[in-house]
Structures are given as structure tokens and as C-alpha cells.
Amino acid sequence: MEGFWLGLTGLAAGLCGGLLGIGGSIVVIPAMTELMGPKQHLYQATALIVSFFVAVPALVQHVRAKALQRRLLVALAPAAVLGSVAGVSCSELSLFRGERSVYLTGMFGLFLFYVAGREMWRMLAGPRIAIRGLSCSGEHSRWGAAMLVGASTGVVSGLLGVGGGVVAVPLQRRFLGVGVRSAIANSAAMIVLLSIVGGTAKHIALAVNHPEYAWHAPAELALFLIPTAVVGAWVGGRLTHVLPLRLVRAAFMVLLVVAGFRMVHRATEPIRPNAIRVDCTPVCPSPRVATRGLVWTRGAAGPSPGASTSAGG
């Protein structure tokens, strides 16, 4: 049954990506948290895989439209890759390990509030939005600003497991004066690259630092999400020209606020007074991932949809 809900999650992620030009992680991570409980490190690795398959079709369209600024990407891409590795390293600090991984869940919830606020501002401002880039005297200054934009995007991507488009697009417009279409195209190229680099780094970190997760768990989770995410991205791209985007953005903002509240609520649960804490330690001595129906045991063949566990309730 969980496989069915994961498929719907992938479809929703693809639809939002196609409609609004965002990565699927903003939908995938909160949905999996609700479905299987807070396992932020596992979900971030999974979401980065899904982001690749959501961003590639969009990138192909941008290349055909000749919207990419290839010279600018020469400065953006390397800085974004380094930032992504740094972000993944930060997410593996002791501050975010073990039971403290809920802090990453809370940070992601706050990030959702930021995205919702940004979407609200865009919806209210409408065509009145006019973003001017900072004046950069000389080619070196522009390249320096581009490297800062790329590094910032990479750090956010690696730390929170998101594609980074909601950061890359406004930063390019604000600090580099890039037009919105080229900013989105450049962002799609960075998302493809960051999903590969960040996803690989996060997989290595899971294998080394998180024995409770089977090394293949993110890829197997992604297999439930990718097919419907690709279909959703294609349909969402078509619906962009049919549905009233203001209504879509309003519904999306409500979804983000609710999901953000839920994730922050989960993150603060251990420190709230009178909170009821349940010991979910598996009885079986072997390390494993236990969910409501999906179980990964280290060394097992793969997920078992429909198998029940006492830990998952």
C-alpha cells in the first residue's frame, strides 16, 4: 500500500515541478515524512535522485529554446558542486546525526515557509516585479558574484536535499541581472548536476555514517517515485498553459505552509514539555529501516511492500 502512496507522491512532485518550475524535493521529503516518519537523511538522498529525473526533461526543453547562458554556467557550476559537497558534509555533522536528525527536519520545515512566502510575494506582485541585478564593474566582479550564487545554491542543496532552484533563480536575478527564462534554464542545469554530485555524496555518507539504513534504500524508494514523477512533470508542463497559475500557486502555498508546520512540529516534539515519546527501537538486533510497510534490512534483497512491522505502527 505504501508503494501506491509513494507513486502518488512522485506524481504530485512532478506536477508541481512542471507547473511551477521547482524541484520535486519540496513535495517528496514532507510527503515521505508523513508516510513513514522522520528519516531526514534517507529522504534527502532519495529526493536528490528524483530531482534528476524531474529536471532533465525541463533542461532538454531549455536547451532547445537556447535559453542557457553557457558562459555564466562555467562560473556557476563548479562553485555549486563544491557548495553541494560542503552542504552534505554539514548535514553529516554530529549536530544532525542520530536523534538530532530532527533538527534537519525542522530546518526543512522553515525552508518550506521561505518558499511559501516567496511564492506569495510573486503572486501578489504579479507583473509589477522588476528585479535589477547589482552593478558589477568588470568581468571579474561578475564571475565572483556568479561563484557566490553557485556556492550558495550548492550549500542549500546539499544541506537540505533539495534541487536548489528556489534559491538559484532569485539569486541570479538579484545579483547577476539574468532574465527569468535564462535564470530558470541555468537553474535546471545546476539541478541536474547537483542531483548527481549531491546524491552520490549523500549515498556515501549514508553507507559510512548511518548503519541503520541499508545502502540501497534511497535508490529503491526512488524507484517508486520516478515513473510517476516523470509523467507528472510532463503533464504539469502542459497544464502550465491551461490552468490559472494564481489558483495553482495559492493551493501550493497552503500545501507548503501545512507541510512546513508539520515538519517543524515533528522536529520540536522531543523538546516540548509533556510530549509523549515512544521507543521505536526495532526488536530485531540487525540494523534496518522500519516503516509502515516498507522494510530494508542491511543486506536484504529490497523493499517488501505490504509487509507490516511493529515499529511502524
Side-chain angles (χ1 to χ4, degrees), residues 14-15 17-19 54 57 61 228-240:
L15 282 172
L19 274 170
V54 173
Q61 296 299 325
T228 51
V230 173
V231 173
W234 184 83
V235 174
R238 296 279 182 152
L239 292 178
T240 300

Side-chain angles (χ1 to χ4, degrees), residues 12-22 27 115-116 119-120 122-123 232 235-257:
L15 282 172
C16 289
L19 274 170
L20 303 170
I22 62 171
V27 176
V115 178
E119 285 296 319
M120 180 179 292
R122 288 179 60 190
M123 187 176 68
V235 174
R238 296 279 182 152
L239 292 178
T240 300
H241 307 286
V242 178
L243 297 179
L245 282 184
R246 289 179 68 88
L247 179 61
V248 173
R249 281 200 173 116
F252 182 63
M253 282 187 297
V254 173
L255 173 65
L256 289 178
V257 170

Side-chain angles (χ1 to χ4, degrees), residues 38 102-103 262-278:
V102 293
Y103 296 156
R262 289 284 297 168
M263 297 193 78
V264 171
H265 184 270
R266 286 179 178 274
T268 57
E269 188 174 26
I271 62 175
R272 289 199 307 273
N274 302 323
I276 299 176
R277 303 190 64 181
V278 180

Side-chain angles (χ1 to χ4, degrees), residues 14 54 69 74 96 113 127 143 156 161 164 167 193 200 204 222 252 277 280 282 291 303 313:
V54 173
Q69 294 188 346
V74 171
F96 303 123
F113 289 145
W143 272 59
V156 172
V167 176
L193 186 60
T200 301
I204 295 173
F252 182 63
R277 303 190 64 181
C280 295
T291 68

Side-chain angles (χ1 to χ4, degrees), residues 5-310:
W5 289 111
L6 286 172
L8 284 184
T9 298
L11 182 64
L15 282 172
C16 289
L19 274 170
L20 303 170
I22 62 171
S25 303
I26 289 179
V27 176
V28 166
I29 292 178
M32 287 195 294
T33 301
E34 288 296 318
L35 183 62
M36 297 182 291
K39 298 179 178 68
Q40 189 71 16
H41 291 285
L42 173 63
Y43 302 154
Q44 288 185 192
T46 302
L48 285 170
I49 298 174
V50 177
S51 293
F52 174 83
F53 290 92
V54 173
V56 165
L59 179 60
V60 171
Q61 296 299 325
H62 295 316
V63 171
R64 289 177 178 174
K66 298 181 179 180
L68 283 177
Q69 294 188 346
R70 300 178 188 274
R71 290 192 61 190
L72 190 58
L73 280 173
V74 171
L76 287 170
V81 167
L82 293 176
S84 176
V85 175
V88 171
S89 300
C90 288
S91 73
E92 293 297 324
L93 294 174
S94 59
L95 175 64
F96 303 123
R97 300 267 294 277
E99 292 184 352
R100 298 186 182 92
S101 63
V102 293
Y103 296 156
L104 273 179
T105 302
M107 290 177 63
F108 196 91
L110 295 176
F111 181 72
L112 294 183
F113 289 145
Y114 154 74
V115 178
R118 179 172 170 267
E119 285 296 319
M120 180 179 292
W121 178 75
R122 288 179 60 190
M123 187 176 68
L124 294 177
R128 294 174 296 173
I129 297 178
I131 302 179
R132 298 179 181 177
L134 296 181
S135 59
C136 299
S137 57
E139 190 70 15
H140 292 292
S141 298
R142 181 175 172 81
W143 272 59
M147 292 177 68
L148 286 175
V149 169
S152 301
T153 302
V155 168
V156 172
S157 174
L159 180 62
L160 299 179
V162 298
V166 294
V167 176
V169 173
L171 287 184
Q172 287 180 79
R173 299 193 67 196
R174 176 67 180 87
F175 293 100
L176 301 175
V178 178
V180 63
R181 293 184 184 275
S182 292
I184 292 174
N186 295 340
S187 174
M190 283 195 289
I191 290 174
V192 170
L193 186 60
L194 292 176
S195 62
I196 296 173
V197 176
T200 301
K202 196 63 181 179
H203 269 70
I204 295 173
L206 280 178
V208 174
N209 300 327
H210 300 275
E212 68 272 24
Y213 301 134
W215 65 269
H216 48 75
E220 291 176 349
L221 266 177
L223 287 178
F224 288 95
L225 298 161
I226 290 170
T228 51
V230 173
V231 173
W234 184 83
V235 174
R238 296 279 182 152
L239 292 178
T240 300
H241 307 286
V242 178
L243 297 179
L245 282 184
R246 289 179 68 88
L247 179 61
V248 173
R249 281 200 173 116
F252 182 63
M253 282 187 297
V254 173
L255 173 65
L256 289 178
V257 170
V258 172
F261 174 79
R262 289 284 297 168
M263 297 193 78
V264 171
H265 184 270
R266 286 179 178 274
T268 57
E269 188 174 26
I271 62 175
R272 289 199 307 273
N274 302 323
I276 299 176
R277 303 190 64 181
V278 180
D279 184 8
C280 295
T281 304
V283 177
C284 178
S286 62
R288 68 178 183 176
V289 178
T291 68
R292 300 172 185 165
L294 293 176
V295 179
W296 286 272
T297 302
R298 221 168 161 77
S304 303
S308 61
T309 66
S310 58

